[in-house]
Amino acid sequence: MEPLTAKRSRGDPGGPEPRDPRAERGRPETLLDLSAKRVAESWAFEQVEERFSRVPEPVQKRIVFWSFPRSEREICMYSSLGYQSSEGEQDARVPFTRGLHLLQSGSVDRVLQVGFHLSGNVREPGSPREPEHFYHVSISFDRCKITSVSCSCDNRDLFYCAHVVALSLYRIRHAYQVELRLPISETLSQMNRDQLQKFVQYLISAHHTEVLPTAQRLADEVLLLGSEINLMHGAPDPTAGASIEDANCWHLDEEQIQEQVKQLLSNGGYYGASQQLHSMFSKVREMLRMRDSNGARMLILMTQQFLQDPRLALWRQQGAGMTDKCRQLWDELGALWVCIILSPHCKPEERAGWLQLLATWDKLDVCPLEEGNYSFDGPSLQPSAAPSPELLQKGITCITNTEGWMGHPLDPIGCLCRALLEACRLEEETLSLYPDSGTEKRKALYQHVPVPGSPGESYLALALEVALLGLGQQRPLPEGLYAQDKVVRNEEQLLALLEDVDLDDRLVQVLRKQAGLQLEGGPFSGFGEVLFRESVPMHTCARYLFSALLPHDPDLAYRLALRAMRLPVLETAFPAGDPRPNPLDSIVSSRFPRWFILGHLETRQCELASTMLTAAKGDAKWLHVVLVSIQQNIHSPALLFKLAQDACKTATPASTPPDTTLLGIALELGLQVMRMTLNTMTWRRREMVRWLVSCATEIGPQALMNIMQNWYSLFTPVEAATIVAVTGTAHATLLRLQLDTPQQEELWTCARTLALQCAMKDPQNCTLPALTLCEKSHAAFEAAYQIVLDAAAGGLGHAQLFTVARYMEHRGLPLRAYKLATLALAQLSIAFNQDSHPALNDVLWACSLSHSLGRHELSAIVPLIIRSIHCAPMLSDILRRWTLSAPGLGPLGARRATKPLGTDRAPLCQLLDAAVTAYITTSHSRLTHISPRHYGDFIEFLGKARETFLLAPDGHLQFTQFLENIKQTYKGKKKLMLLVRERFG
């Protein structure tokens, strides 16, 4: 092709462009400047055949001058993964930040622009560990785009290095300080033969080691008349820029992008790798927003590497699904392709080529399939309720093959809504699409933009309408955890966009119209009367619509939200009148294995109900309507309890009187939770019971007494006796209720009655709380004591009896304590080898109590001790305690006996005989299966036995006979008998 040369007068020295005097005078750009800028950006000569040389020289220089990029944003975009303004860059490792620092520190010099080629040197300051470095940078540009870069630092990275950034920013910020030359072909055209020969020879001499072979080869071809180089018209000029027919795009290192993506995919299990890939996707979006053709190029390169991921083939062979992280990356990849294909700025031939590429990739075996089925596939689906007749005449009973739009792989609603909103964003908002890292995110500002050819329509109203159509569509929940999670995320993302839109009168009318259409939309609407079991519930969308419509049309807002409270999969699972299963069982894992996000959906249902309750505060009519809906549709006790708590909190603000109606609603919800969980004990029951008592206290004494009187259907006996009755009569509660004396006595009577009922129903756990509550009423206390005596023969064990007995002693009723202790001993049985029995301390306490009461009580308890306790050490311990002092009440006021009891007279002689017999029996039992390692313990045991034997008048003789019997009976255990003789003779 003919070189871009220009004829010049011989007298023009062709020096550098002088510094622009307009910078000093402050004049605006001239018409010549503006024309040159337009030509430089578009390269649109009148005809393709026109050549650079035919343009006047002043325009030539300005074309060359204005062809370099003038915006720093593009430089930043190609030198960092995430765009931020030059002042907002914080990370010193980002090439743009480093390049900016190099520029500001004066490290750029010897900058020269020859035509469309920029070169210069960049100095990298040294450090204590590294010396100073100089790098030579070359940049080619064309029509305000950098088309190629070269730097001697040889840093291979995804984007431009810091040195390229520094030189580019120097050219942008100090444009008039750059030494400017026309393309080299223009300079050569000004030389005569001698000058040209001198130029070539000096060039070869300066670089003979590098260019001499090439120079000789070219000389040979030029001298050969029939050579290819002589058949072509003109000669190439690397500084002359490209032709209009040539591609025009920013420099992108394709090989480096492929290598980077490949490496990141190989580390796909790490969080950092996924983040970097998402950053690359963001870079593609940024390029598309700026209409940069490299966006599609970069996405093609990334897609190719994604399809070469070796894990795809492995997952296919194993029949396993992709990981969630990998699937998110593929979702982002698909979403970007949707943006590219649907872009109104792409050419038809480009779109056709991309579609062909996608079709080719789709045929590959490793190309992953979308998870989930987004349609009702089959005519067998039935509605959740018959249509916690008019439609039949119309033949509306089911939906078949309706494709869900929300969560769809192509995200049609999200794409369309974002495109319409983008057209309505205020101009200044489009400049801050990528805010600085330190800048607080601002709410987007939109305006109505008329739709051409549609009077009265605006893109903003259409965006809202499209979003509501998609959100309100009755659609099936897709299969698979990831697909279901994507449905939820798409809904939340779309609603987040809508919440940024300020609703004016026009948009409110759209809301009202769409809400009405949704309510009357039949089976194709998620708000219609017919809702199918597999349908995605409308809670999230309804919450937005309710909040948006409430100030303008409360009746419509409540109708829509109440209709959306349904959760069809649970309605069909629990038909009306059927007994509920365990409400705290894992519904997700047991009854509904497909509905992986059921817990999340129930939470959203609860949030919608809470929003309605809060809004209905002060309106008794709507409060009761909402309550009925909650009781019919919410099946989770935990969520009902949360609703009750929220309602109570809303009803009792700190600065104003409470809302009694809303408090009643909270109490009713709490009562429902109590009934649902009565037979299912959980760690939260105690919290729920305490809260219910506090809520009833807020309402008044009558509510508190009502839950006490109806405790059978709400609480277990333990909860009623230990939490409800105790908390309901606590000092803080009485102060809160501000009751007079008769009212307090009425409340106490109710609590005592509850406690006695609980003690009768569960004496094992409730007798002691009942006694404590009834202390101030003699009749009630006697009734509770009689319940304990009656239960001693049946339900009450020795541990509970001992506990109540100790309580009686503590209350100053030792005879009743003694009575209960004897009942406990009658139930007790301690074997010979139970030296550490848990009732040991209780037995010793009972013996001490009987000893303190007197000889009569002690004599009565001895037979019980002998019958219940067969452990020799325990018997001997009791015996010694009783011989230390005389029996009697002592400090309690009764007369003490004159001297301690002797072991040779009743009743202690009987206990001594029992202890001796226990030692003999235990010794024989231990010797039957004794091992050498236990010989030492047995000798110590015999030592304690001798001490007990010696308490009897003939104890020494008895012990001697006992030892002789052992020696004869177990003479085969020679080592043990030797130890016995050494210790006892």
Side-chain angles (χ1 to χ4, degrees):
M1 185 175 179
E2 180 179 335
L4 297 179
T5 59
K7 302 283 186 183
R8 302 188 50 162
S9 63
R10 297 295 176 94
D12 192 342
E17 181 77 5
R19 190 164 191 170
D20 192 346
R22 289 175 288 111
E24 301 174 1
R25 296 195 298 269
R27 283 200 300 108
E29 293 175 337
T30 64
L31 183 61
L32 188 63
D33 290 321
L34 295 175
S35 300
K37 285 173 63 176
R38 284 195 291 269
V39 173
E41 292 174 357
S42 64
W43 219 246
F45 300 133
E46 294 181 2
Q47 296 180 2
V48 174
E49 293 79 9
E50 289 288 355
R51 293 294 179 256
F52 189 80
S53 58
R54 301 184 185 179
V55 181
E57 183 176 327
V59 179
Q60 288 183 12
K61 288 188 176 182
R62 283 169 172 77
I63 290 175
V64 171
F65 182 83
W66 290 113
S67 288
F68 195 85
R70 296 183 303 281
S71 171
E72 296 183 10
R73 180 169 184 173
E74 288 85 356
I75 307 300
C76 184
M77 182 173 70
Y78 280 91
S79 58
S80 59
L81 275 177
Y83 171 75
Q84 292 173 331
S85 65
S86 57
E87 291 79 8
E89 291 283 348
Q90 301 294 330
D91 194 344
R93 297 170 297 178
V94 176
F96 187 88
T97 305
R98 291 178 54 214
L100 181 61
H101 177 73
L102 291 172
L103 172 67
Q104 293 172 344
S105 61
S107 299
V108 182
D109 61 0
R110 300 187 65 182
V111 181
L112 173 66
Q113 179 177 334
V114 180
F116 301 91
H117 182 85
L118 183 70
S119 63
N121 291 341
V122 179
R123 175 177 54 86
E124 187 84 56
S127 64
R129 296 184 179 180
E130 294 184 2
E132 186 177 67
H133 292 283
F134 287 88
Y135 300 104
H136 182 70
V137 183
S138 297
I139 298 176
S140 296
F141 54 93
D142 175 30
R143 284 164 277 183
C144 301
K145 297 177 183 176
I146 293 177
T147 56
S148 68
V149 298
S150 174
C151 181
S152 59
C153 70
D154 291 331
N155 285 337
R156 294 296 304 276
D157 200 357
L158 199 62
F159 298 109
Y160 303 162
C161 67
H163 314 113
V164 172
V165 172
L167 181 61
S168 302
L169 294 180
Y170 185 95
R171 174 60 178 79
I172 293 173
R173 296 190 177 187
H174 308 290
Y176 294 106
Q177 298 178 18
V178 176
E179 194 173 355
L180 179 64
R181 296 287 188 274
L182 289 176
I184 194 66
S185 56
E186 292 294 305
T187 303
L188 294 177
S189 66
Q190 302 171 22
M191 300 182 185
N192 56 28
R193 182 190 179 286
D194 293 338
Q195 290 174 321
L196 284 172
Q197 183 171 356
K198 182 177 292 189
F199 170 78
V200 173
Q201 289 184 216
Y202 268 98
L203 179 64
I204 294 174
S205 177
H207 303 282
H208 65 277
T209 56
E210 293 89 357
V211 304
L212 186 58
T214 303
Q216 186 60 54
R217 178 178 58 80
L218 291 176
D220 293 341
E221 292 187 15
V222 169
L223 293 174
L224 186 62
L225 295 179
S227 64
E228 182 178 358
I229 197 172
N230 284 322
L231 295 178
M232 294 180 62
H233 184 65
D237 181 0
T239 66
S243 171
I244 191 173
E245 298 90 352
D246 295 339
N248 172 241
C249 58
W250 285 79
H251 170 71
L252 195 67
D253 193 335
E254 298 187 355
E255 181 181 349
Q256 186 62 22
I257 289 177
Q258 290 177 315
E259 186 62 30
Q260 184 91 353
V261 175
K262 180 179 180 181
Q263 182 179 355
L264 291 174
L265 286 175
S266 65
N267 299 327
Y270 297 99
Y271 176 77
S274 298
Q275 286 296 101
Q276 284 188 279
L277 286 169
H278 279 298
S279 296
M280 295 180 72
F281 286 139
S282 298
K283 181 60 62 178
V284 174
R285 287 190 181 276
E286 186 180 353
M287 291 175 175
L288 295 178
R289 191 179 298 275
M290 297 180 69
R291 303 183 187 180
D292 189 336
S293 60
N294 277 340
R297 286 177 61 200
M298 186 171 173
L299 190 61
I300 290 174
L301 297 172
M302 295 183 70
T303 306
Q304 291 171 342
Q305 291 304 311
F306 266 69
L307 288 169
Q308 293 177 18
D309 188 348
R311 294 177 298 173
L312 294 179
L314 181 63
W315 287 330
R316 182 178 178 84
Q317 292 173 2
Q318 296 175 346
M322 288 190 293
T323 63
D324 283 355
K325 285 185 179 180
C326 191
R327 194 171 288 279
Q328 288 175 6
L329 294 172
W330 275 93
D331 280 349
E332 184 73 7
L333 193 74
L336 285 172
W337 273 115
V338 172
C339 294
I340 287 178
I341 297 297
L342 299 183
S343 171
H345 308 296
C346 71
K347 300 175 182 178
E349 57 271 19
E350 289 178 328
R351 182 180 288 113
W354 295 331
L355 289 173
Q356 186 176 0
L357 263 180
L358 290 173
T360 303
W361 291 333
D362 185 60
K363 295 177 183 178
L364 298 176
D365 292 338
V366 295
C367 187
L369 300 175
E370 282 292 335
E371 181 184 88
N373 177 16
Y374 293 83
S375 65
F376 291 109
D377 52 352
S380 62
L381 290 168
Q382 297 299 323
S384 62
S388 240
E390 295 81 4
L391 296 177
L392 289 176
Q393 292 176 359
K394 297 178 182 178
I396 301 175
T397 56
C398 65
I399 298 178
T400 59
N401 299 323
T402 299
E403 193 172 42
W405 296 329
M406 298 304 300
H408 192 278
L410 298 180
D411 190 20
I413 298 296
C415 288
L416 184 53
C417 183
R418 287 183 179 86
L420 293 170
L421 286 176
E422 188 67 25
C424 303
R425 192 186 288 263
L426 291 177
E427 188 65 27
E428 58 268 22
E429 289 296 308
T430 62
L431 301 178
S432 58
L433 295 172
Y434 298 87
D436 300 343
S437 59
T439 304
E440 183 179 355
K441 184 179 179 182
R442 295 186 301 168
K443 184 177 180 180
L445 298 178
Y446 299 99
Q447 60 183 350
H448 285 281
V449 176
V451 179
S454 300
E457 288 280 10
S458 76
Y459 287 125
L460 190 56
L462 287 178
L464 180 60
E465 189 172 344
V466 165
L468 295 179
L469 284 172
L471 290 166
Q473 180 204 24
Q474 182 169 182
R475 55 192 182 275
L477 187 73
E479 298 174 358
L481 172 60
Y482 184 79
Q484 294 176 13
D485 182 65
K486 188 161 64 173
V487 169
V488 173
R489 282 189 282 110
N490 280 171
E491 286 184 351
E492 292 175 348
Q493 291 166 0
L494 192 57
L495 287 171
L497 286 176
L498 296 185
E499 287 172 354
D500 275 348
V501 178
D502 292 326
L503 299 177
D504 56 16
D505 292 340
R506 294 177 65 182
L507 297 181
V508 170
Q509 291 304 317
V510 173
L511 279 178
R512 299 179 69 172
K513 176 183 176 182
Q514 285 300 315
L517 291 175
Q518 293 284 3
L519 286 171
E520 301 172 0
F524 295 97
S525 168
F527 295 92
E529 292 185 22
V530 178
L531 200 62
F532 299 91
R533 182 182 186 276
E534 298 298 316
S535 294
V536 176
M538 298 285 107
H539 309 136
T540 309
C541 175
R543 186 182 177 196
Y544 166 77
L545 287 172
F546 177 80
S547 300
L549 286 170
L550 189 63
H552 311 284
D553 194 339
D555 184 70
L556 180 60
Y558 278 106
R559 285 174 53 209
L560 192 79
L562 291 169
R563 181 74 65 82
M565 277 291 292
R566 299 169 296 179
L567 190 54
V569 68
L570 297 184
E571 292 173 9
T572 55
F574 304 131
D578 283 8
R580 295 287 197 266
N582 186 338
L584 295 183
D585 280 350
S586 175
I587 293 179
V588 177
S589 60
S590 59
R591 297 181 61 86
F592 312 103
R594 272 198 65 241
W595 286 64
F596 299 103
I597 59 169
L598 183 58
H600 177 84
L601 297 177
E602 287 185 292
T603 302
R604 292 291 178 263
Q605 182 188 37
C606 174
E607 291 173 352
L608 173 61
S610 179
T611 302
M612 285 194 289
L613 281 176
T614 302
K617 179 181 177 182
D619 191 329
K621 169 197 168 184
W622 283 119
L623 278 176
H624 286 97
V625 172
V626 173
L627 173 63
V628 172
S629 177
I630 290 173
Q631 292 175 325
Q632 289 178 346
N633 294 292
I634 297 184
H635 307 285
S636 168
L639 295 177
L640 283 171
F641 180 57
K642 183 179 184 306
L643 277 175
Q645 287 180 305
D646 292 345
C648 183
K649 185 177 180 180
T650 304
T652 54
S655 57
T656 57
D659 186 314
T660 54
T661 305
L662 188 54
L663 267 178
I665 298 292
L667 181 64
E668 184 59 36
L669 290 173
L671 295 176
Q672 183 177 350
V673 172
M674 291 295 103
R675 287 189 287 266
M676 293 175 69
T677 60
L678 178 60
N679 298 319
T680 308
M681 290 296 99
T682 73
W683 62 271
R684 295 202 67 186
R685 274 283 297 187
R686 295 183 66 86
E687 176 194 355
M688 293 174 177
V689 174
R690 288 194 183 94
W691 176 86
L692 189 69
V693 174
S694 66
C695 182
T697 303
E698 290 290 337
I699 296 176
Q702 190 59 50
L704 191 56
M705 288 189 289
N706 283 340
I707 65 172
M708 290 184 182
Q709 293 166 354
N710 298 287
W711 72 270
Y712 282 102
S713 61
L714 302 172
F715 315 108
T716 64
V718 174
E719 292 170 344
T722 61
I723 301 178
V724 178
V726 173
T727 308
T729 55
H731 181 67
T733 303
L734 296 178
L735 286 178
R736 177 69 176 168
L737 292 172
Q738 298 180 345
L739 304 178
D740 55 25
T741 302
Q743 290 175 324
Q744 289 189 25
E745 184 56 34
E746 183 182 9
L747 184 61
W748 270 108
T749 301
C750 189
R752 294 184 191 114
T753 303
L754 177 149
L756 292 175
Q757 293 172 346
C758 293
M760 294 179 64
K761 192 172 183 65
D762 186 5
Q764 188 170 8
N765 297 303
C766 298
T767 50
L768 186 58
L771 285 167
T772 304
L773 277 168
C774 297
E775 285 180 349
K776 296 181 180 179
S777 171
H778 177 72
F781 188 82
E782 290 298 318
Y785 177 63
Q786 189 59 46
I787 291 173
V788 176
L789 295 179
D790 295 341
L796 232 69
H798 63 81
Q800 289 77 27
L801 286 170
F802 276 128
T803 301
V804 177
R806 285 176 181 266
Y807 164 80
M808 288 295 184
E809 184 197 30
H810 180 70
R811 302 307 300 171
L813 302 170
L815 292 178
R816 290 189 174 185
Y818 172 78
K819 174 66 174 177
L820 294 173
T822 58
L823 293 174
L825 284 171
Q827 297 185 10
L828 190 62
S829 177
I830 300 179
F832 71 91
N833 59 349
Q834 292 182 301
D835 300 43
S836 58
H837 193 279
L840 172 61
N841 290 330
D842 289 329
V843 172
L844 294 177
W845 169 82
C847 293
S848 176
L849 175 66
S850 62
H851 183 267
S852 67
L853 289 174
R855 181 167 182 165
H856 176 73
E857 286 78 8
L858 188 146
S859 299
I861 205 173
V862 167
L864 291 174
I865 296 291
I866 295 173
R867 185 167 60 249
S868 300
I869 301 173
H870 305 96
C871 179
M874 289 183 66
L875 290 171
S876 61
D877 190 14
I878 295 170
L879 185 62
R880 285 189 181 83
R881 290 170 181 262
W882 278 348
T883 59
L884 293 177
S885 61
L889 286 175
L892 295 179
R895 194 169 47 188
R896 180 180 289 279
T898 57
K899 60 180 180 178
L901 296 175
T903 58
D904 57 340
R905 294 191 304 273
L908 296 192
C909 63
Q910 301 166 353
L911 184 60
L912 177 59
D913 291 341
V916 169
T917 302
Y919 270 116
I920 293 173
T921 303
T922 305
S923 298
H924 285 292
S925 177
R926 294 179 67 171
L927 285 170
T928 303
H929 303 289
I930 195 169
S931 62
R933 62 179 178 175
H934 295 138
Y935 285 174
D937 294 338
F938 182 73
I939 296 300
E940 294 298 322
F941 179 78
L942 286 180
K944 294 180 180 179
R946 182 173 62 176
E947 295 175 1
T948 303
F949 272 77
L950 293 179
L951 292 176
D954 58 345
H956 181 74
L957 178 61
Q958 290 186 48
F959 186 71
T960 302
Q961 292 174 349
F962 171 55
L963 286 181
E964 290 301 322
N965 181 267
I966 287 179
K967 294 174 184 177
Q968 290 297 323
T969 306
Y970 303 100
K971 58 185 177 181
K973 301 181 184 297
K974 296 181 180 180
K975 185 176 180 180
L976 177 60
M977 293 304 106
L978 179 61
L979 293 176
V980 171
R981 291 189 185 94
E982 289 178 354
R983 178 75 177 271
F984 305 105

